[in-house]
Amino acid sequence: MIKLINFKNCPFFQRVMGALVMKKVPFEIEYIELNNKPLWFLDISPNGQVPVLVTEDDTVLFESDAIVEYLDDKYAPIEEVTAEQKALDRAWSYQASKHYMPQCGTMGSKDKDTFDTRLANLQKAFLKAENKLGDTQFFKGNYISNVDIAWLPLLHRASVIKERSGFDMLEGFPKVQAWQSALIKSGLTEKTVPQDFVEKFSGFYLTNTYLASLAEAH
Ligand SMILES: N[C@@H](CCC(=O)N[C@@H](CS)C(=O)NCC(=O)O)C(=O)O
């Protein structure tokens, strides 16, 4: 069986989980702590980062983009698309994944000025999506595609922050907000994070941060 090695708060992990869940591929997970990476993990992981996916023939894959593409090549893709559409889907997925760490940085900001500066940068991604989204539930239609899976970590995290602190990173982006609601309603958010995700995530980003001060007042 496929084995996924992960860190509970990792957005790249949630994207890989999204691909596995949508494809109904059986897998098991081993969680590690990034501040105490086990030696066996350092031995197999070329960049020392999660997610790592160990295939059924024991090949160790790393880099979430490569892992998601592998899952499409190995197991049935969610949809058959032309080479052009595949390139566009990857490009729109990259617009999300390149903002995973900036979102983490934004949420981890200690003061309002830093938070506002980082948020303005992050919101450039939401603006691009807002301008591209149509009137369908999800990015490409009324079904969940690879592009939705790539945006899931950003939109899910924004929803947890809103719920806990009252602050909406998606304020001013109504189509992105509707897309976020559709993804949450689909149930995919819960299926792609560990059971204690909200607790772990909030413990990290809503403690000693600017958002923590908003959450206290919420
Ligand atoms: N480009 C990598 C990024 C993965 C990444 O940044 N993972 C973080 C956790 S979310 C990590 O392992 N950080 C530990 C480290 O860099 O030492 C991917 O797409 O898989």
Side-chain angles (χ1 to χ4, degrees):
M1 193 190 290
I2 281 181
K3 184 172 174 184
L4 208 49
I5 300 154
N6 274 307
F7 163 62
K8 288 191 174 178
N9 272 352
C10 179
F12 300 92
F13 152 57
Q14 189 174 13
R15 179 183 179 199
V16 170
M17 284 282 286
L20 286 165
V21 168
M22 286 301 294
K23 289 173 192 299
K24 300 190 171 64
V25 177
F27 61 94
E28 56 187 9
I29 308 179
E30 176 149 2
Y31 291 107
I32 61 165
E33 291 299 334
L34 289 184
N35 53 10
N36 187 19
K37 294 177 190 167
L39 269 181
W40 63 261
F41 171 73
L42 293 170
D43 280 346
I44 63 165
S45 165
N47 60 0
Q49 293 186 320
V50 293
V52 158
L53 184 146
V54 185
T55 68
E56 285 176 90
D57 71 2
D58 283 336
T59 306
V60 177
L61 302 180
F62 65 110
E63 287 293 340
S64 54
D65 282 341
I67 294 174
V68 168
E69 284 174 26
Y70 161 78
L71 292 173
D72 262 357
D73 291 341
K74 179 82 180 178
Y75 304 95
I78 291 173
E79 55 177 337
E80 291 295 343
V81 289
T82 61
E84 289 75 14
Q85 188 60 50
K86 194 185 265 190
L88 283 171
D89 290 354
R90 284 179 180 161
W92 277 106
S93 297
Y94 178 61
Q95 296 309 308
S97 63
K98 75 173 177 180
H99 286 95
Y100 291 171
M101 293 319 281
Q103 186 185 45
C104 293
T106 304
M107 296 181 300
S109 302
K110 300 284 179 212
D111 58 79
K112 185 175 183 330
D113 283 351
T114 311
F115 179 82
D116 287 346
T117 307
R118 290 176 178 174
L119 180 69
N121 183 42
L122 176 62
Q123 285 182 328
K124 287 182 195 159
F126 297 136
L127 178 61
K128 276 189 200 152
E130 181 73 17
N131 291 337
K132 177 68 185 165
L133 284 164
D135 292 324
T136 52
Q137 267 186 296
F138 301 106
F139 192 82
K140 294 172 66 189
N142 290 318
Y143 64 97
I144 294 176
S145 71
N146 278 349
V147 181
D148 300 289
I149 293 171
W151 284 80
L152 180 73
L154 291 179
L155 302 180
H156 183 200
R157 278 144 223 265
S159 81
V160 175
I161 292 295
K162 184 179 172 197
E163 199 181 290
R164 295 278 165 134
S165 73
F167 188 88
D168 190 358
M169 297 185 190
L170 305 182
E171 187 68 51
F173 306 107
K175 287 187 173 178
V176 182
Q177 286 170 325
W179 184 23
Q180 177 194 49
S181 299
L183 276 170
I184 291 167
K185 265 194 216 129
S186 78
L188 192 59
T189 45
E190 285 153 43
K191 290 184 197 147
T192 51
V193 287
Q195 273 190 337
D196 57 353
F197 170 74
V198 172
E199 186 197 320
K200 292 256 174 211
F201 173 83
S202 308
F204 194 80
Y205 290 108
L206 296 176
T207 306
N208 293 326
T209 57
Y210 169 65
L211 283 173
S213 64
L214 300 187
E216 274 159 32
H218 182 56

